[in-house]
């Protein structure tokens, strides 16, 4: 992944942007950049960037330390503090980002600390923006040629501080943190050279010291920091090669784990402020409905309840304690409209999707070659299969919680959300105040995988409106039932796949017609070498709020593609693994990943009666993952996963210990979604309400053996938090076919087991 070492020019905070901003992000970024040059000129752009750096210094320096480019500081005692623009919700990126910067800096790891960057424009993530804009625009040369000052201005104008898209390590770390570390190291060497009166070329660095071997003298980073901070950090510092890494690639223990184990870690739901009140909410059961009426008296009669607040589509009860607020809410009988969606159900959604697919016009199409002509070839064998997957819920361990306090015209917020800067913007709009009057204090997130992006997080509006009506801080807590019934779900989706086998037994044409709200083209790679392919997206939106779920649209598309190619292998009379090999480029990364997982799983070796083996390979977020599942069926018809293997090529693994946990966790999450998870709709409302009817995989149902292996290919760095999910569901479905002869095209599997 580090083969192409990025060496961006260093005149600004170094950061980058996410995939969840859709196609308009690229166009918007270029428009903003053009407006900056026309309106303020190059001087205005660079001045703004220097101003941001000065602001970062003011927010982070304490008097005995010195900030560099906003993203790190060095204290007089040699402590290095790294400021992460990404929120921690269990993915371990704070540790990985610290490793990447500290490796280039040659810092003593025992003296490295990683803290959450403030929700301030000075910490807008320009490295993330640069990475994603280069990827999404299709013109990386153009984006990389832009001065970092312009990228920084774009990031601050958006504003951009997102956590998501498996982007922290491959963009913020690779484009930003490594470059900052390398640049600061050069500045420290230059400062030491002047102090020691020797050429910089005679100096080396190690363990937070600059060393002159000839004289035996050395200077600590802490005593050099003040002078180095005054030096220019412009230029393109050379980054280390793989052979020079000291921290990158090492299984370093995560910095966040001790506090999570001993209970000292503070999440949004843990926050306690003086005189704080607790509130809870009930929104219209049918999304899109409105509050028609509610009698407040029953709630106000509950001890501890102080206020009932009506919103357009919800009612909130405020009390001194949560259980008082919840009891008061349950005492109410609010009347809501259904917004015209009362006849909607999961079945009517699928029917509408099928109608759209057969008679509608696709919104987008990808692929190459003449598929229709290939389908018409005489003697060719054509197969067609229809697939369906349901809405999926994030099922966060920590339900939505956000605290707000409005006083003296300013709104202060506390909570765990995935884009602190955009949270400020949304809160300001809801409260009707200027964004500069909003302060957001980022906290740990108890899960989310996309549910906590501000554009799909209505609790921000609710707290902003609520706080303006109260003289004290108020923490709004969604009950588990509220959180399940009003989630931002992975879209319900359906697809028809059609392919033709030529006389040589290879696929000659392939078409995927899929219907859902989100377009997966460009997000999930189609990896097979087939002469003619077509991928058509038909856009459908129900009354539900769809949004990014872990690995976004790659779970649906991965399930469709990897299930269907298994069907094609069966039709061709070939082994599913060998059939895939025939359609992958020789000597490709994909083929190596596939071969490695098959070997590690003992593909082709005998299995006990009733046990099947399934395989799948999906590339998403720049990472290739192949998985093999061994599974059987219990007497009650439910699936039982026995063993699981995953082989991963993400280019370079920054922290193997954490990366293994991410892949294993993603695999289990994918299996959970395939086996029992589903959000269903009836009369316009969500049926499920809690973990008793939203079936998360329990420990007893997880594989007894999970084997994860990484291939260090040195290719461009890919993500790690999301790519482990997509291959799991098709690998399981294919394993169950091998065990039972029954082909699975609809998820979740438990629905069919009960049928």
């Amino acid at each position: 992944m580090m083969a192409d070492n990025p060496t961006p020019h260093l005149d600004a905070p170094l950061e980058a942007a996410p995939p969840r901003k859709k196609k308009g992000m690229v166009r918007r970024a270029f428009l903003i950049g053009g407006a900056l040059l026309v309106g303020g000129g190059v001087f205005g752009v660079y001045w703004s960037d220097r101003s941001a750096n000065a602001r970062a210094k003011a927010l982070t320096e304490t008097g005995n330390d010195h900030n560099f480019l906003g993203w790190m500081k060095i204290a007089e005692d040699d402590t290095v503090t790294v400021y992460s623009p990404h929120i921690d919700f269990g993915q371990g990126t704070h540790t990985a980002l610290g490793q990447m910067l500290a490796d280039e800096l040659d810092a003593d790891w025992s003296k490295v600390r990683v803290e959450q960057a403030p929700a301030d424009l000075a910490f807008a993530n320009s490295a993330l923006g640069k990475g994603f804009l280069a990827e999404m625009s299709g013109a990386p040369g153009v984006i990389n040629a832009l001065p970092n000052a312009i990228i920084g201005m774009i990031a601050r104008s958006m504003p951009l501080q997102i956590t998501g898209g498996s982007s922290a390590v491959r963009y913020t770390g690779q484009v930003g943190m490594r470059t900052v570390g390398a640049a600061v190291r050069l500045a420290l060497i230059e400062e030491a050279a002047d102090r020691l009166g020797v050429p910089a070329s005679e100096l080396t660095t190690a363990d937070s010291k600059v060393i002159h071997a000839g004289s035996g003298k050395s200077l600590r980073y802490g005593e050099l920091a003040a002078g180095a901070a005054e030096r220019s950090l412009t230029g393109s510092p050379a980054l280390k090669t793989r052979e020079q890494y000291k921290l990158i690639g090492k299984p370093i223990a995560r910095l966040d784990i001790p506090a999570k184990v001993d209970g000292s870690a503070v999440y949004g739901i843990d926050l306690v402020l003086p005189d704080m009140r607790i509130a809870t909410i009930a929104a219209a059961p049918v999304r899109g409905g409105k509050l028609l009426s509610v009698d407040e008296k029953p709630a106000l009669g509950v001890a501890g309840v102080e206020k009932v607040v009506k919103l357009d589509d919800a009612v909130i009860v405020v009390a001194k304690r949560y259980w008082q607020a919840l009891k008061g809410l349950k005492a109410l009988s609010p009347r809501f409209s259904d917004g015209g969606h009362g006849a909607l159900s999961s079945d009517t959604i699928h029917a509408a999707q099928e109608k759209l697919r057969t008679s509608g016009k696709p919104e987008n199409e990808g692929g190459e070659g003449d598929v229709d002509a290939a389908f018409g070839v005489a003697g060719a064998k054509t197969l067609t299969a229809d697939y369906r997957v349901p809405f999926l819920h994030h099922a966060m361990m920590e339900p939505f919680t956000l605290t707000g306090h409005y006083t003296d015209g300013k709104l202060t917020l506390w909570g765990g959300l995935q884009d602190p800067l955009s949270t400020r913007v949304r809160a300001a709009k809801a409260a009707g105040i200027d964004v500069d009057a909003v302060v957001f204090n980022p906290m740990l997130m108890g899960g989310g995988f996309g549910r906590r992006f501000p554009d799909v997080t209505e609790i921000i509006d609710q707290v902003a409106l609520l706080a303006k009506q109260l003289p004290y801080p108020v923490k709004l807590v969604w009950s588990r039932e509220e959180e399940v019934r009003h989630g931002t779900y992975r879209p319900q989706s359906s697809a028809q796949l059609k392919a033709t086998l030529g006389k040589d037994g290879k696929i000659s044409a392939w078409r995927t017609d899929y219907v859902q709200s989100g377009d997966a083209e460009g997000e999930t790679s189609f990896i097979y070498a087939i002469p003619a392919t077509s991928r058509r997206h038909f856009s459908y939106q129900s009354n539900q709020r769809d949004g990014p779920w872990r690995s976004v649209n790659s779970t649906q598309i991965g399930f469709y593609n990897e299930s269907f190619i298994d069907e094609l292998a069966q039709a061709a009379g070939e082994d599913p693994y060998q059939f895939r090999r025939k359609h992958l480029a020789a000597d490709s990364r994909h083929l190596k990943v596939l071969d490695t997982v098959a070997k590690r799983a003992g593909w082709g070796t005998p299995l006990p009666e009733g046990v099947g083996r399934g395989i799948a390979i999906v590339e998403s977020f720049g990472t290739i993952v192949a998985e093999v599942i061994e599974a059987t069926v219990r007497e009650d018809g439910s699936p039982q996963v026995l063993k699981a293997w995953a082989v991963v090529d993400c280019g370079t693994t920054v922290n193997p210990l954490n990366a293994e946990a991410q892949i294993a966790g993603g695999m289990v999450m994918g299996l959970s979604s395939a086996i029992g998870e589903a959000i269903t709709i009836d009369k316009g409302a969500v049926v499920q309400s809690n973990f008793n009817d939203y079936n998360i995989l329990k420990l007893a149902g997880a594989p007894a053996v999970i084997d994860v292996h990484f291939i260090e290919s040195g290719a461009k760095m890919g993500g790690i938090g999301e790519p482990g999910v997509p291959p799991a569901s098709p690998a399981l479905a294919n394993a169950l076919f091998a065990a039972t002869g029954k082909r699975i095209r609809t998820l979740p599997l438990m629905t069919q087991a009960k049928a």
Side-chain angles (χ1 to χ4, degrees), residues 20 87-89 161-163 267-269 394-402 414-420 422-423 426 440 443-460 476 480 483 487-488 547-549:
R20 324 264 195 213
I87 305 292
D88 172 31
F89 57 117
Q161 208 177 42
I162 284 177
T163 300
Y267 292 82
I269 203 166
H394 289 85
M396 304 178 290
M397 290 298 293
E398 177 195 24
F400 260 153
T401 304
L402 190 64
W414 295 262
L417 296 172
Q418 288 179 245
D419 187 344
S422 292
T423 295
R426 178 161 183 169
F440 178 62
M443 303 182 72
L444 296 176
M445 292 188 294
F449 298 115
R451 179 60 176 109
R452 296 178 186 265
F453 282 120
D455 61 341
V456 294
T457 306
E458 56 270 50
I459 194 173
I460 299 171
L476 178 59
R480 177 69 66 187
E483 190 257 330
T488 297
W549 192 82

Side-chain angles (χ1 to χ4, degrees), residues 20-43:
R20 324 264 195 213
K21 288 294 186 185
K22 305 168 185 155
K23 301 173 188 174
M25 171 186 274
V26 177
R27 179 173 180 271
R28 181 183 178 193
F30 279 111
L31 288 175
I32 293 171
L36 290 171
L37 290 174
V38 172
V42 175
F43 174 77

Side-chain angles (χ1 to χ4, degrees), residues 259 302 472 558:
V302 174
Y472 32 65

Side-chain angles (χ1 to χ4, degrees), residues 6 148 174 190 293 350 373 682 726 755:
N148 280 329
Q174 181 76 335
E190 291 170 359
S293 64
H350 272 311
D682 184 43

